[in-house]
């Protein structure tokens, strides 16, 4: 996995937070920038934390992971990407668009966790890649990149949501799912071909 691919993975993983952040902005068009920054920080923090949990949680399985790394990376990313695409095309995200409540601390925490759960699998994929083809830098820094990308994109999404329509949020998440699928296929091909 290259540095560019880490950034692409961060962008793809952040699409849930991007979509939810955009809807938060649409729900509160006069939201202050302090609150926008707090939302982005919460999403970015959990997108940083979850891959670390997945990475360190998978340490006990490192010998096995080394043998199945390409297949595991593909399976996890294909699952995440496929689930995202299915959710987007089945109308699952419409519940976010229909909720027009002011965002409180409890709801922000729930959104932060919910939009970052898939990043646990990315941490396992980091472990698998480290044992297989390798990572450009330690998994903690890869996780930091994912979190920073999420923070930046979420900030932009909440700001854009204050002025944009709801259809952009669903399209962004669909694009993220397709990117995860493509990255999973690429990692499988690299692992199988030994490149």
């Amino acid at each position: 996995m290259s540095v560019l691919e880490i950034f692409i993975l961060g962008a793809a993983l952040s699409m849930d937070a991007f979509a939810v952040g955009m809807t938060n902005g649409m729900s509160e068009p006069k939201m202050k920038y302090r609150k926008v920054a707090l939302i982005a920080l919460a999403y970015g923090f959990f997108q940083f934390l979850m891959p670390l949990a997945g990475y360190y949680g998978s340490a006990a399985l490192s010998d096995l992971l080394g043998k199945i790394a390409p297949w595991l990376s593909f399976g996890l990313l294909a699952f995440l990407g496929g689930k995202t695409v299915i959710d987007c095309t089945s109308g699952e995200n419409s519940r976010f668009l229909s909720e027009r409540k002011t965002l409180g601390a409890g709801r922000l925490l729930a959104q932060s966790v919910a939009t970052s759960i898939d990043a646990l699998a990315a941490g396992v994929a980091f472990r698998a890649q480290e044992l297989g083809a390798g990572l450009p830098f330690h998994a903690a820094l890869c996780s930091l990149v994912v979190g920073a990308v999420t923070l930046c994109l979420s900030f932009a999404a909440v700001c854009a949501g204050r002025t944009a329509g709801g259809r952009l949020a669903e399209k962004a998440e669909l694009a993220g799912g397709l990117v995860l699928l493509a990255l999973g296929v690429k990692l499988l091909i690299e692992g199988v071909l030994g490149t």
Side-chain angles (χ1 to χ4, degrees):
M1 199 177 273
S2 70
V3 173
L4 177 61
E5 289 168 339
I6 300 295
F7 277 92
I8 292 171
L9 179 63
L13 287 171
S14 73
M15 287 300 110
D16 285 351
F18 184 94
V20 175
M22 185 174 279
T23 60
N24 286 334
M26 289 185 286
S27 296
E28 262 185 87
K30 296 181 191 257
M31 185 184 299
K32 296 185 185 220
Y33 281 104
R34 180 175 171 219
K35 188 170 184 179
V36 172
L38 179 65
I39 292 169
L41 184 63
Y43 291 169
F45 175 72
F46 278 91
Q47 286 283 18
F48 159 72
L49 192 62
M50 292 297 191
L52 282 180
Y55 176 82
Y56 287 111
S58 64
L61 304 172
S62 63
D63 290 336
L64 175 62
L65 287 177
K67 296 175 184 162
I68 61 169
W71 296 98
L72 183 62
S73 295
F74 166 74
L76 291 170
L77 294 173
F79 170 76
L80 296 173
K83 180 185 176 303
T84 302
V85 169
I86 289 168
D87 286 350
C88 287
T89 57
S90 70
E92 178 72 19
N93 291 337
S94 61
R95 74 174 192 276
F96 290 119
L97 298 175
S98 64
E99 294 177 2
R100 300 280 179 182
K101 302 173 187 168
T102 301
L103 182 66
R107 192 161 163 217
L108 176 59
L109 178 63
Q111 286 180 355
S112 298
V113 172
T115 59
S116 64
I117 281 292
D118 54 352
L120 275 169
V124 176
F126 287 160
R127 171 72 67 187
Q129 280 297 297
E130 186 178 71
L131 297 170
L135 289 172
F137 29 77
H138 190 274
L141 189 51
C142 293
S143 296
L144 184 61
V145 169
V146 169
V149 168
T150 300
L151 185 146
C152 293
L153 291 177
S154 296
F155 186 88
V158 177
C159 290
R162 295 166 70 197
T163 57
R167 61 186 176 276
L168 292 179
E170 288 188 27
K171 289 180 181 180
E173 191 166 4
L174 178 61
L178 293 172
V179 167
L180 286 172
L181 282 169
L183 186 56
V185 169
K186 179 194 176 293
L187 293 174
L188 177 64
I189 290 170
E190 285 179 351
V192 169
L193 298 178
T195 57

